[in-house]
Amino acid sequence: MPTNMRLADFIRSEIEPILANWVDFARTIFHAGHMNKSGLRDHARDMLLVIADDLESYQSASAQTAKSQGYGPTGGRASWAEVHGGDRHSSGFSVMETVSEFRALRASVVSLWTSANPTVTREQLDDLTRFHEAIDQAVAESLEHYAAVKEMETRLFGAILVASPEPIYVLDPAGRFIYANRATADLFALKPDAIIGKSHSDLGFSFASDLQRNHEQVIADHSTYRGKLVHRFASGEGERFEYLLAPVLDEHQNTEATVCIIQDVTERALAEEKIWHNAHHDALTGLPNRRLFLDRLEQEVKHANRSSLPLALLFMDLDGFKEVNDSLGHEAGDRVLCDVAVRLAECVREDDTVARQGGDEFTVILSAATRRKDIEMIAQTIIDAVAKPFQLEQQSVRISVSVGIAFYPQDAPSPLALLEAADHAMYRAKQSGSNRMCFHDTPAKTEDHFS
């Protein structure tokens, strides 16, 4: 390699070694580490070739002075450095990462140039000076455009936050509000000044401890979190909400803040609950239907297995109900069914499940059924309650109930088998004359306790 080679020619001839040095450094930049290697090289190659062309171009005294101060020609289309600044901003580069690219490019060229030219001529020294000025100018143009794009993005983002109908706010690592948009202030029924610097706990929100715990988890894991909360704000808006917590990471990937977005899902949640309720409850009596009953029976069987405590299932069929329907009509029959449902619920504990199987059949799940005579007493209470007259407008009617009783695991090994056993016991009670109870046909047990 000639020792008197001008810098522009050196850059063109040695561009591959220069790029190799530069890429090794560029890959240490966080956001550059996620970029395509060939894309990085092509971008740097274009930068170097533009600088090489600039080194060979005529430069007036005024242009030289301006360039030494970091200013290039004004007007016309954007320079390659300005394009570079906008591109790096859109790629997520920080200011320091953007500047580091130019520093690495400068260091790569100068290192190889000085190694190849231990002594330099006056012309080569001038080339080196112009090269530094070109790099400085490129840094200035790139950062200026980077800042302009960043400023516009900030304005647009601010406008979006202000106009957003969704409450959006930002918390510092300690969980204090550092920003709240207008929708947040409206939801909280507070002025922004009363929100900034406070925590959810300071504002007296019932969900404060749960949200703070999730906020701390987001900071620790650098991950987003989706949650739900139930709260009636002072504004009176909503009751059921979903929220998203997302970390705001600095250039070192440390969480410096957390963004929270709240969405009012009250109408949707209530609609979903209504759909679920209608699908699992009897439309006439409001009791759990067969579908929900079977689900709860399965859960109670699992609990009985864990606790080693038996459970009892009562299967009931109304006696004389058909006559009420035939003589007084289905409207009167529906009224009797609703009253029966109320009386059954009053005969058992709040945690016990009373369900309507369909028609005039009902079931009751009694957990922790350790004493046979206690279950017998509950069944007799039900028989006595149903035997009382039902007042229908100006006429009263009387019916009775036949009750079949089966125990898990003594009488059946599974939920469906238990239901079948209680059903069979009910038919035995009805065949015995109705208005009575009958335990499942198993060998008689004289003990009060079941083992």
PDB file of all heavy atoms in Angstrom, residues 250-281:
ATOM      1  N   ASP A 250     -35.196   2.114  30.465  1.00  0.00           N
ATOM      2  CA  ASP A 250     -34.210   3.099  30.023  1.00  0.00           C
ATOM      3  C   ASP A 250     -33.212   2.423  29.088  1.00  0.00           C
ATOM      4  O   ASP A 250     -33.355   1.246  28.740  1.00  0.00           O
ATOM      5  CB  ASP A 250     -33.513   3.756  31.226  1.00  0.00           C
ATOM      6  CG  ASP A 250     -32.722   2.757  32.077  1.00  0.00           C
ATOM      7  OD1 ASP A 250     -32.414   1.644  31.579  1.00  0.00           O
ATOM      8  OD2 ASP A 250     -32.410   3.079  33.230  1.00  0.00           O
ATOM      9  N   GLU A 251     -32.190   3.153  28.678  1.00  0.00           N
ATOM     10  CA  GLU A 251     -31.244   2.617  27.697  1.00  0.00           C
ATOM     11  C   GLU A 251     -30.414   1.469  28.241  1.00  0.00           C
ATOM     12  O   GLU A 251     -29.812   0.717  27.480  1.00  0.00           O
ATOM     13  CB  GLU A 251     -30.312   3.725  27.207  1.00  0.00           C
ATOM     14  CG  GLU A 251     -29.486   4.367  28.305  1.00  0.00           C
ATOM     15  CD  GLU A 251     -28.687   5.557  27.791  1.00  0.00           C
ATOM     16  OE1 GLU A 251     -29.217   6.310  26.942  1.00  0.00           O
ATOM     17  OE2 GLU A 251     -27.548   5.708  28.242  1.00  0.00           O
ATOM     18  N   HIS A 252     -30.420   1.296  29.571  1.00  0.00           N
ATOM     19  CA  HIS A 252     -29.704   0.178  30.173  1.00  0.00           C
ATOM     20  C   HIS A 252     -30.649  -0.968  30.533  1.00  0.00           C
ATOM     21  O   HIS A 252     -30.262  -1.890  31.251  1.00  0.00           O
ATOM     22  CB  HIS A 252     -28.965   0.642  31.431  1.00  0.00           C
ATOM     23  CG  HIS A 252     -27.990   1.755  31.174  1.00  0.00           C
ATOM     24  ND1 HIS A 252     -26.885   1.598  30.374  1.00  0.00           N
ATOM     25  CD2 HIS A 252     -27.988   3.055  31.596  1.00  0.00           C
ATOM     26  CE1 HIS A 252     -26.213   2.749  30.318  1.00  0.00           C
ATOM     27  NE2 HIS A 252     -26.867   3.646  31.046  1.00  0.00           N
ATOM     28  N   GLN A 253     -31.887  -0.884  30.038  1.00  0.00           N
ATOM     29  CA  GLN A 253     -32.901  -1.905  30.262  1.00  0.00           C
ATOM     30  C   GLN A 253     -33.301  -2.035  31.732  1.00  0.00           C
ATOM     31  O   GLN A 253     -33.698  -3.113  32.190  1.00  0.00           O
ATOM     32  CB  GLN A 253     -32.433  -3.261  29.718  1.00  0.00           C
ATOM     33  CG  GLN A 253     -32.188  -3.256  28.214  1.00  0.00           C
ATOM     34  CD  GLN A 253     -33.406  -2.778  27.433  1.00  0.00           C
ATOM     35  OE1 GLN A 253     -34.421  -3.441  27.395  1.00  0.00           O
ATOM     36  NE2 GLN A 253     -33.308  -1.600  26.823  1.00  0.00           N
ATOM     37  N   ASN A 254     -33.215  -0.933  32.455  1.00  0.00           N
ATOM     38  CA  ASN A 254     -33.737  -0.870  33.811  1.00  0.00           C
ATOM     39  C   ASN A 254     -35.106  -0.203  33.768  1.00  0.00           C
ATOM     40  O   ASN A 254     -35.323   0.735  32.998  1.00  0.00           O
ATOM     41  CB  ASN A 254     -32.802  -0.070  34.726  1.00  0.00           C
ATOM     42  CG  ASN A 254     -31.449  -0.744  34.878  1.00  0.00           C
ATOM     43  OD1 ASN A 254     -31.377  -1.967  35.039  1.00  0.00           O
ATOM     44  ND2 ASN A 254     -30.382   0.041  34.825  1.00  0.00           N
ATOM     45  N   THR A 255     -36.025  -0.662  34.601  1.00  0.00           N
ATOM     46  CA  THR A 255     -37.366  -0.091  34.624  1.00  0.00           C
ATOM     47  C   THR A 255     -37.334   1.237  35.366  1.00  0.00           C
ATOM     48  O   THR A 255     -37.034   1.284  36.556  1.00  0.00           O
ATOM     49  CB  THR A 255     -38.362  -1.041  35.303  1.00  0.00           C
ATOM     50  OG1 THR A 255     -38.341  -2.303  34.636  1.00  0.00           O
ATOM     51  CG2 THR A 255     -39.775  -0.476  35.246  1.00  0.00           C
ATOM     52  N   GLU A 256     -37.632   2.313  34.646  1.00  0.00           N
ATOM     53  CA  GLU A 256     -37.626   3.630  35.275  1.00  0.00           C
ATOM     54  C   GLU A 256     -39.025   4.120  35.597  1.00  0.00           C
ATOM     55  O   GLU A 256     -39.199   5.098  36.336  1.00  0.00           O
ATOM     56  CB  GLU A 256     -36.918   4.647  34.371  1.00  0.00           C
ATOM     57  CG  GLU A 256     -37.537   4.802  32.994  1.00  0.00           C
ATOM     58  CD  GLU A 256     -36.739   5.767  32.125  1.00  0.00           C
ATOM     59  OE1 GLU A 256     -35.720   6.289  32.631  1.00  0.00           O
ATOM     60  OE2 GLU A 256     -37.129   6.008  30.971  1.00  0.00           O
ATOM     61  N   ALA A 257     -40.044   3.471  35.057  1.00  0.00           N
ATOM     62  CA  ALA A 257     -41.426   3.843  35.334  1.00  0.00           C
ATOM     63  C   ALA A 257     -42.343   2.719  34.854  1.00  0.00           C
ATOM     64  O   ALA A 257     -41.891   1.770  34.202  1.00  0.00           O
ATOM     65  CB  ALA A 257     -41.796   5.156  34.645  1.00  0.00           C
ATOM     66  N   THR A 258     -43.607   2.820  35.201  1.00  0.00           N
ATOM     67  CA  THR A 258     -44.601   1.841  34.778  1.00  0.00           C
ATOM     68  C   THR A 258     -45.824   2.572  34.246  1.00  0.00           C
ATOM     69  O   THR A 258     -46.311   3.510  34.884  1.00  0.00           O
ATOM     70  CB  THR A 258     -45.026   0.929  35.948  1.00  0.00           C
ATOM     71  OG1 THR A 258     -43.887   0.270  36.475  1.00  0.00           O
ATOM     72  CG2 THR A 258     -46.029  -0.109  35.487  1.00  0.00           C
ATOM     73  N   VAL A 259     -46.293   2.155  33.079  1.00  0.00           N
ATOM     74  CA  VAL A 259     -47.506   2.723  32.487  1.00  0.00           C
ATOM     75  C   VAL A 259     -48.688   1.832  32.854  1.00  0.00           C
ATOM     76  O   VAL A 259     -48.595   0.601  32.789  1.00  0.00           O
ATOM     77  CB  VAL A 259     -47.393   2.817  30.952  1.00  0.00           C
ATOM     78  CG1 VAL A 259     -48.710   3.288  30.350  1.00  0.00           C
ATOM     79  CG2 VAL A 259     -46.282   3.769  30.569  1.00  0.00           C
ATOM     80  N   CYS A 260     -49.782   2.463  33.248  1.00  0.00           N
ATOM     81  CA  CYS A 260     -51.005   1.716  33.567  1.00  0.00           C
ATOM     82  C   CYS A 260     -52.136   2.221  32.677  1.00  0.00           C
ATOM     83  O   CYS A 260     -52.374   3.431  32.591  1.00  0.00           O
ATOM     84  CB  CYS A 260     -51.384   1.870  35.037  1.00  0.00           C
ATOM     85  SG  CYS A 260     -52.836   0.885  35.505  1.00  0.00           S
ATOM     86  N   ILE A 261     -52.813   1.303  32.013  1.00  0.00           N
ATOM     87  CA  ILE A 261     -53.975   1.628  31.177  1.00  0.00           C
ATOM     88  C   ILE A 261     -55.177   0.890  31.758  1.00  0.00           C
ATOM     89  O   ILE A 261     -55.131  -0.324  31.970  1.00  0.00           O
ATOM     90  CB  ILE A 261     -53.762   1.196  29.710  1.00  0.00           C
ATOM     91  CG1 ILE A 261     -52.493   1.839  29.149  1.00  0.00           C
ATOM     92  CG2 ILE A 261     -54.960   1.563  28.856  1.00  0.00           C
ATOM     93  CD1 ILE A 261     -52.131   1.354  27.756  1.00  0.00           C
ATOM     94  N   ILE A 262     -56.242   1.638  32.051  1.00  0.00           N
ATOM     95  CA  ILE A 262     -57.445   1.061  32.661  1.00  0.00           C
ATOM     96  C   ILE A 262     -58.582   1.067  31.655  1.00  0.00           C
ATOM     97  O   ILE A 262     -58.778   2.047  30.926  1.00  0.00           O
ATOM     98  CB  ILE A 262     -57.858   1.844  33.924  1.00  0.00           C
ATOM     99  CG1 ILE A 262     -56.782   1.713  34.999  1.00  0.00           C
ATOM    100  CG2 ILE A 262     -59.183   1.351  34.463  1.00  0.00           C
ATOM    101  CD1 ILE A 262     -57.122   2.427  36.290  1.00  0.00           C
ATOM    102  N   GLN A 263     -59.339  -0.015  31.621  1.00  0.00           N
ATOM    103  CA  GLN A 263     -60.500  -0.103  30.734  1.00  0.00           C
ATOM    104  C   GLN A 263     -61.725  -0.503  31.546  1.00  0.00           C
ATOM    105  O   GLN A 263     -61.695  -1.483  32.304  1.00  0.00           O
ATOM    106  CB  GLN A 263     -60.251  -1.129  29.624  1.00  0.00           C
ATOM    107  CG  GLN A 263     -61.398  -1.220  28.621  1.00  0.00           C
ATOM    108  CD  GLN A 263     -61.124  -2.229  27.522  1.00  0.00           C
ATOM    109  OE1 GLN A 263     -60.267  -3.094  27.669  1.00  0.00           O
ATOM    110  NE2 GLN A 263     -61.837  -2.125  26.422  1.00  0.00           N
ATOM    111  N   ASP A 264     -62.795   0.254  31.389  1.00  0.00           N
ATOM    112  CA  ASP A 264     -64.057  -0.044  32.064  1.00  0.00           C
ATOM    113  C   ASP A 264     -64.753  -1.184  31.315  1.00  0.00           C
ATOM    114  O   ASP A 264     -65.140  -1.037  30.162  1.00  0.00           O
ATOM    115  CB  ASP A 264     -64.937   1.210  32.072  1.00  0.00           C
ATOM    116  CG  ASP A 264     -66.232   1.013  32.851  1.00  0.00           C
ATOM    117  OD1 ASP A 264     -66.541  -0.142  33.205  1.00  0.00           O
ATOM    118  OD2 ASP A 264     -66.947   1.999  33.083  1.00  0.00           O
ATOM    119  N   VAL A 265     -64.892  -2.317  31.984  1.00  0.00           N
ATOM    120  CA  VAL A 265     -65.528  -3.484  31.342  1.00  0.00           C
ATOM    121  C   VAL A 265     -66.798  -3.878  32.091  1.00  0.00           C
ATOM    122  O   VAL A 265     -67.240  -5.027  32.024  1.00  0.00           O
ATOM    123  CB  VAL A 265     -64.549  -4.678  31.284  1.00  0.00           C
ATOM    124  CG1 VAL A 265     -63.357  -4.361  30.397  1.00  0.00           C
ATOM    125  CG2 VAL A 265     -64.081  -5.079  32.687  1.00  0.00           C
ATOM    126  N   THR A 266     -67.398  -2.903  32.795  1.00  0.00           N
ATOM    127  CA  THR A 266     -68.566  -3.207  33.625  1.00  0.00           C
ATOM    128  C   THR A 266     -69.696  -3.817  32.811  1.00  0.00           C
ATOM    129  O   THR A 266     -70.244  -4.869  33.175  1.00  0.00           O
ATOM    130  CB  THR A 266     -69.061  -1.933  34.328  1.00  0.00           C
ATOM    131  OG1 THR A 266     -67.984  -1.358  35.086  1.00  0.00           O
ATOM    132  CG2 THR A 266     -70.213  -2.255  35.259  1.00  0.00           C
ATOM    133  N   GLU A 267     -70.060  -3.179  31.720  1.00  0.00           N
ATOM    134  CA  GLU A 267     -71.181  -3.680  30.923  1.00  0.00           C
ATOM    135  C   GLU A 267     -70.894  -5.074  30.394  1.00  0.00           C
ATOM    136  O   GLU A 267     -71.758  -5.959  30.430  1.00  0.00           O
ATOM    137  CB  GLU A 267     -71.474  -2.719  29.763  1.00  0.00           C
ATOM    138  CG  GLU A 267     -72.061  -1.387  30.204  1.00  0.00           C
ATOM    139  CD  GLU A 267     -72.484  -0.534  29.017  1.00  0.00           C
ATOM    140  OE1 GLU A 267     -72.488  -1.058  27.879  1.00  0.00           O
ATOM    141  OE2 GLU A 267     -72.810   0.643  29.216  1.00  0.00           O
ATOM    142  N   ARG A 268     -69.685  -5.276  29.899  1.00  0.00           N
ATOM    143  CA  ARG A 268     -69.330  -6.586  29.363  1.00  0.00           C
ATOM    144  C   ARG A 268     -69.328  -7.643  30.452  1.00  0.00           C
ATOM    145  O   ARG A 268     -69.840  -8.751  30.262  1.00  0.00           O
ATOM    146  CB  ARG A 268     -67.955  -6.518  28.707  1.00  0.00           C
ATOM    147  CG  ARG A 268     -67.571  -7.780  27.951  1.00  0.00           C
ATOM    148  CD  ARG A 268     -66.144  -7.709  27.463  1.00  0.00           C
ATOM    149  NE  ARG A 268     -65.199  -7.943  28.547  1.00  0.00           N
ATOM    150  CZ  ARG A 268     -63.908  -7.660  28.483  1.00  0.00           C
ATOM    151  NH1 ARG A 268     -63.407  -7.092  27.401  1.00  0.00           N
ATOM    152  NH2 ARG A 268     -63.111  -7.919  29.492  1.00  0.00           N
ATOM    153  N   ALA A 269     -68.761  -7.293  31.629  1.00  0.00           N
ATOM    154  CA  ALA A 269     -68.681  -8.260  32.720  1.00  0.00           C
ATOM    155  C   ALA A 269     -70.071  -8.641  33.216  1.00  0.00           C
ATOM    156  O   ALA A 269     -70.353  -9.824  33.457  1.00  0.00           O
ATOM    157  CB  ALA A 269     -67.857  -7.684  33.868  1.00  0.00           C
ATOM    158  N   LEU A 270     -70.943  -7.646  33.364  1.00  0.00           N
ATOM    159  CA  LEU A 270     -72.296  -7.940  33.827  1.00  0.00           C
ATOM    160  C   LEU A 270     -73.052  -8.780  32.800  1.00  0.00           C
ATOM    161  O   LEU A 270     -73.831  -9.667  33.167  1.00  0.00           O
ATOM    162  CB  LEU A 270     -73.055  -6.643  34.112  1.00  0.00           C
ATOM    163  CG  LEU A 270     -72.518  -5.812  35.290  1.00  0.00           C
ATOM    164  CD1 LEU A 270     -73.314  -4.529  35.453  1.00  0.00           C
ATOM    165  CD2 LEU A 270     -72.568  -6.631  36.582  1.00  0.00           C
ATOM    166  N   ALA A 271     -72.831  -8.482  31.518  1.00  0.00           N
ATOM    167  CA  ALA A 271     -73.490  -9.268  30.472  1.00  0.00           C
ATOM    168  C   ALA A 271     -73.001 -10.709  30.494  1.00  0.00           C
ATOM    169  O   ALA A 271     -73.795 -11.653  30.351  1.00  0.00           O
ATOM    170  CB  ALA A 271     -73.229  -8.630  29.110  1.00  0.00           C
ATOM    171  N   GLU A 272     -71.692 -10.891  30.692  1.00  0.00           N
ATOM    172  CA  GLU A 272     -71.137 -12.247  30.745  1.00  0.00           C
ATOM    173  C   GLU A 272     -71.654 -12.996  31.973  1.00  0.00           C
ATOM    174  O   GLU A 272     -71.952 -14.199  31.894  1.00  0.00           O
ATOM    175  CB  GLU A 272     -69.610 -12.184  30.771  1.00  0.00           C
ATOM    176  CG  GLU A 272     -68.984 -11.727  29.455  1.00  0.00           C
ATOM    177  CD  GLU A 272     -67.488 -11.543  29.551  1.00  0.00           C
ATOM    178  OE1 GLU A 272     -66.955 -11.583  30.700  1.00  0.00           O
ATOM    179  OE2 GLU A 272     -66.835 -11.345  28.509  1.00  0.00           O
ATOM    180  N   GLU A 273     -71.753 -12.284  33.088  1.00  0.00           N
ATOM    181  CA  GLU A 273     -72.278 -12.914  34.296  1.00  0.00           C
ATOM    182  C   GLU A 273     -73.742 -13.317  34.120  1.00  0.00           C
ATOM    183  O   GLU A 273     -74.171 -14.374  34.593  1.00  0.00           O
ATOM    184  CB  GLU A 273     -72.131 -11.963  35.492  1.00  0.00           C
ATOM    185  CG  GLU A 273     -70.703 -11.793  35.962  1.00  0.00           C
ATOM    186  CD  GLU A 273     -70.606 -10.826  37.124  1.00  0.00           C
ATOM    187  OE1 GLU A 273     -71.669 -10.383  37.617  1.00  0.00           O
ATOM    188  OE2 GLU A 273     -69.476 -10.507  37.543  1.00  0.00           O
ATOM    189  N   LYS A 274     -74.504 -12.475  33.441  1.00  0.00           N
ATOM    190  CA  LYS A 274     -75.910 -12.792  33.195  1.00  0.00           C
ATOM    191  C   LYS A 274     -76.041 -14.020  32.303  1.00  0.00           C
ATOM    192  O   LYS A 274     -76.883 -14.903  32.548  1.00  0.00           O
ATOM    193  CB  LYS A 274     -76.609 -11.594  32.542  1.00  0.00           C
ATOM    194  CG  LYS A 274     -78.105 -11.800  32.346  1.00  0.00           C
ATOM    195  CD  LYS A 274     -78.759 -10.557  31.773  1.00  0.00           C
ATOM    196  CE  LYS A 274     -80.266 -10.774  31.589  1.00  0.00           C
ATOM    197  NZ  LYS A 274     -80.914  -9.554  31.028  1.00  0.00           N
ATOM    198  N   ILE A 275     -75.196 -14.072  31.263  1.00  0.00           N
ATOM    199  CA  ILE A 275     -75.215 -15.233  30.369  1.00  0.00           C
ATOM    200  C   ILE A 275     -74.856 -16.501  31.150  1.00  0.00           C
ATOM    201  O   ILE A 275     -75.504 -17.540  31.005  1.00  0.00           O
ATOM    202  CB  ILE A 275     -74.233 -15.020  29.195  1.00  0.00           C
ATOM    203  CG1 ILE A 275     -74.746 -13.896  28.280  1.00  0.00           C
ATOM    204  CG2 ILE A 275     -74.047 -16.311  28.403  1.00  0.00           C
ATOM    205  CD1 ILE A 275     -73.758 -13.493  27.215  1.00  0.00           C
ATOM    206  N   TRP A 276     -73.821 -16.402  31.992  1.00  0.00           N
ATOM    207  CA  TRP A 276     -73.403 -17.565  32.783  1.00  0.00           C
ATOM    208  C   TRP A 276     -74.510 -17.970  33.746  1.00  0.00           C
ATOM    209  O   TRP A 276     -74.823 -19.162  33.899  1.00  0.00           O
ATOM    210  CB  TRP A 276     -72.133 -17.242  33.562  1.00  0.00           C
ATOM    211  CG  TRP A 276     -71.565 -18.441  34.273  1.00  0.00           C
ATOM    212  CD1 TRP A 276     -70.626 -19.306  33.804  1.00  0.00           C
ATOM    213  CD2 TRP A 276     -71.917 -18.909  35.584  1.00  0.00           C
ATOM    214  NE1 TRP A 276     -70.373 -20.289  34.733  1.00  0.00           N
ATOM    215  CE2 TRP A 276     -71.142 -20.071  35.826  1.00  0.00           C
ATOM    216  CE3 TRP A 276     -72.797 -18.466  36.557  1.00  0.00           C
ATOM    217  CZ2 TRP A 276     -71.243 -20.786  37.019  1.00  0.00           C
ATOM    218  CZ3 TRP A 276     -72.913 -19.194  37.741  1.00  0.00           C
ATOM    219  CH2 TRP A 276     -72.131 -20.330  37.974  1.00  0.00           C
ATOM    220  N   HIS A 277     -75.119 -16.979  34.411  1.00  0.00           N
ATOM    221  CA  HIS A 277     -76.185 -17.272  35.373  1.00  0.00           C
ATOM    222  C   HIS A 277     -77.359 -17.952  34.685  1.00  0.00           C
ATOM    223  O   HIS A 277     -77.898 -18.958  35.174  1.00  0.00           O
ATOM    224  CB  HIS A 277     -76.652 -15.984  36.048  1.00  0.00           C
ATOM    225  CG  HIS A 277     -77.663 -16.217  37.139  1.00  0.00           C
ATOM    226  ND1 HIS A 277     -79.013 -16.337  36.884  1.00  0.00           N
ATOM    227  CD2 HIS A 277     -77.518 -16.356  38.486  1.00  0.00           C
ATOM    228  CE1 HIS A 277     -79.658 -16.549  38.012  1.00  0.00           C
ATOM    229  NE2 HIS A 277     -78.772 -16.559  39.000  1.00  0.00           N
ATOM    230  N   ASN A 278     -77.750 -17.437  33.534  1.00  0.00           N
ATOM    231  CA  ASN A 278     -78.882 -18.026  32.814  1.00  0.00           C
ATOM    232  C   ASN A 278     -78.583 -19.451  32.356  1.00  0.00           C
ATOM    233  O   ASN A 278     -79.492 -20.281  32.270  1.00  0.00           O
ATOM    234  CB  ASN A 278     -79.246 -17.164  31.607  1.00  0.00           C
ATOM    235  CG  ASN A 278     -79.842 -15.831  32.005  1.00  0.00           C
ATOM    236  OD1 ASN A 278     -80.314 -15.662  33.136  1.00  0.00           O
ATOM    237  ND2 ASN A 278     -79.827 -14.863  31.102  1.00  0.00           N
ATOM    238  N   ALA A 279     -77.321 -19.708  32.051  1.00  0.00           N
ATOM    239  CA  ALA A 279     -76.946 -21.042  31.581  1.00  0.00           C
ATOM    240  C   ALA A 279     -76.840 -22.045  32.716  1.00  0.00           C
ATOM    241  O   ALA A 279     -76.876 -23.259  32.478  1.00  0.00           O
ATOM    242  CB  ALA A 279     -75.618 -20.982  30.827  1.00  0.00           C
ATOM    243  N   HIS A 280     -76.745 -21.566  33.951  1.00  0.00           N
ATOM    244  CA  HIS A 280     -76.517 -22.464  35.084  1.00  0.00           C
ATOM    245  C   HIS A 280     -77.609 -22.413  36.140  1.00  0.00           C
ATOM    246  O   HIS A 280     -77.480 -23.063  37.192  1.00  0.00           O
ATOM    247  CB  HIS A 280     -75.170 -22.133  35.752  1.00  0.00           C
ATOM    248  CG  HIS A 280     -73.987 -22.447  34.888  1.00  0.00           C
ATOM    249  ND1 HIS A 280     -73.539 -21.588  33.912  1.00  0.00           N
ATOM    250  CD2 HIS A 280     -73.171 -23.537  34.834  1.00  0.00           C
ATOM    251  CE1 HIS A 280     -72.486 -22.112  33.314  1.00  0.00           C
ATOM    252  NE2 HIS A 280     -72.246 -23.290  33.838  1.00  0.00           N
ATOM    253  N   HIS A 281     -78.659 -21.642  35.897  1.00  0.00           N
ATOM    254  CA  HIS A 281     -79.741 -21.533  36.879  1.00  0.00           C
ATOM    255  C   HIS A 281     -81.098 -21.746  36.224  1.00  0.00           C
ATOM    256  O   HIS A 281     -81.288 -21.442  35.042  1.00  0.00           O
ATOM    257  CB  HIS A 281     -79.710 -20.168  37.575  1.00  0.00           C
ATOM    258  CG  HIS A 281     -78.543 -20.004  38.497  1.00  0.00           C
ATOM    259  ND1 HIS A 281     -77.286 -19.679  38.042  1.00  0.00           N
ATOM    260  CD2 HIS A 281     -78.444 -20.135  39.854  1.00  0.00           C
ATOM    261  CE1 HIS A 281     -76.444 -19.606  39.074  1.00  0.00           C
ATOM    262  NE2 HIS A 281     -77.124 -19.883  40.178  1.00  0.00           N
TER     263      HIS A 281
END
